[in-house]
């Protein structure tokens, strides 16, 4: 979510600038911690990414994104001279022979990667883990291994001088963003307004990528 937060957060919090009785605070933690914070009423809303499996939470879906993979020039899947993001050109089972740099197990992106690889019956050779998708992506660009990420997590300008970026068309993983809240919570007018605004902003952002 690190790339989408700057796009939607300023607009979502603008109404609070003229309302001293309400305050919008941004808290960035891993998915597991945020879910617990919701249930303990430490936060009101959770902006996240599928998959999520918590029956104590309700979800409002916001927008879809593309599931991408960074392939460095240390991989046999690398295609020299490719400067555009293109569809993954190989059978997906060729991913089983690769090394990976992934986010830690508590992150939403890692949960997606795990489900994707499990469906393909691939046991990933994870050479390094990072708590931050930007760090994992940077290490992948430098040749440490492949990494998966949504398109919105890519840099605004990718050099692709020593790596490729492919998007993967698959029904295995749906890269979808959501807002979650506790089923025990009665949503306030402010909560509902923020959810509606998030839906509008995320749809516009999704349509632009």
């Amino acid at each position: 979510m690190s790339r989408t937060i700057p796009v939607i957060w300023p607009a979502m919090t603008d109404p609070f600038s003229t309302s001293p009785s309400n305050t919008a605070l941004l808290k960035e933690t891993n998915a597991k911690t945020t879910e617990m914070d919701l249930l303990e009423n430490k936060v009101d809303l959770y902006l996240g990414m599928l998959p999520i499996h918590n029956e104590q939470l309700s979800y409002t879906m916001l927008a879809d994104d593309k599931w991408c993979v960074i392939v460095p020039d240390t991989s046999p899947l690398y295609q020299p001279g490719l400067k555009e993001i293109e569809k993954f050109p190989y059978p997906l089972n060729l991913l089983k022979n690769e090394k990976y740099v992934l986010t830690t197990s508590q992150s939403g992106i890692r949960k997606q990667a795990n489900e994707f690889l499990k469906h393909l019956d691939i046991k990933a050779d994870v050479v390094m883990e990072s708590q931050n998708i930007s760090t994992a992506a940077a290490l992948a660009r430098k040749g440490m291994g492949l990494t998966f990420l949504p398109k919105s997590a890519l840099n605004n300008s990718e050099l692709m001088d020593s790596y490729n970026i492919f998007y993967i068309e698959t029904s295995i993983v749906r890269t979808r963003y959501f807002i979650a809240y506790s089923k025990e919570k009665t949503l306030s007018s402010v909560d509902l307004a923020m959810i509606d605004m998030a839906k509008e902003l995320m749809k516009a952002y999704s349509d632009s990528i």
Side-chain angles (χ1 to χ4, degrees):
M1 300 300 298
S2 60
R3 298 287 170 186
T4 55
I5 287 293
V7 174
I8 69 171
W9 189 249
M12 288 181 66
T13 57
D14 184 63
F16 292 97
S17 63
T18 57
S19 178
S21 62
N22 293 311
T23 302
L25 298 177
L26 174 64
K27 183 177 181 180
E28 294 185 274
T29 59
N30 62 59
K32 183 177 180 180
T33 300
T34 308
E35 288 179 33
M36 290 303 301
D37 285 347
L38 277 179
L39 297 175
E40 294 173 2
N41 293 316
K42 294 179 180 179
V43 297
D44 295 308
L45 301 171
Y46 165 31
L47 182 63
M49 184 177 67
L50 292 179
I52 187 169
H53 308 290
N54 191 323
E55 294 183 356
Q56 294 177 277
L57 301 179
S58 295
Y59 315 97
T60 297
M61 294 303 165
L62 300 178
D64 294 324
D65 203 349
K66 286 186 176 179
W67 182 238
C68 294
V69 59
I70 295 177
V71 178
D73 59 7
T74 53
S75 166
L77 302 181
Y78 175 72
Q79 295 188 353
L82 187 61
K83 296 293 185 181
E84 301 292 332
I85 301 175
E86 297 188 1
K87 182 179 176 181
F88 190 71
Y90 308 104
L92 292 178
N93 62 4
L94 290 185
L95 292 168
K96 68 182 178 182
N97 301 317
E98 298 297 315
K99 297 183 182 300
Y100 292 91
V101 180
L102 300 176
T103 50
T104 54
S105 60
Q106 293 181 336
S107 78
I109 292 175
R110 178 60 178 274
K111 290 178 180 179
Q112 278 200 318
N114 287 347
E115 287 196 4
F116 177 66
L117 294 170
K118 181 180 179 180
H119 189 89
L120 296 174
D121 198 25
I122 294 175
K123 183 174 176 58
D125 181 5
V126 182
V127 297
M128 188 171 294
E129 293 183 337
S130 173
Q131 293 185 353
N132 189 297
I133 185 55
S134 296
T135 301
L139 292 171
R141 294 183 188 99
K142 293 297 184 180
M144 291 291 295
L146 278 65
T147 199
F148 299 107
L149 71 175
K151 189 176 180 183
S152 58
L154 295 170
N155 292 333
N156 291 332
S157 178
E158 292 281 357
L159 295 177
M160 288 192 269
D161 51 352
S162 58
Y163 60 93
N164 303 140
I165 300 176
F166 299 109
Y167 66 89
I168 299 175
E169 287 189 347
T170 175
S171 59
I172 301 171
V173 172
R174 294 193 70 184
T175 310
R176 298 190 79 184
Y177 298 109
F178 62 81
I179 277 188
Y181 44 90
S182 171
K183 286 184 176 179
E184 301 299 319
K185 177 180 173 61
T186 300
L187 295 177
S188 68
S189 59
V190 173
D191 293 329
L192 293 170
M194 291 190 73
I195 290 172
D196 288 342
M197 189 175 295
K199 289 169 67 175
E200 180 180 341
L201 292 167
M202 286 296 292
K203 183 180 185 305
Y205 183 68
S206 179
D207 291 344
S208 71
I209 62 174

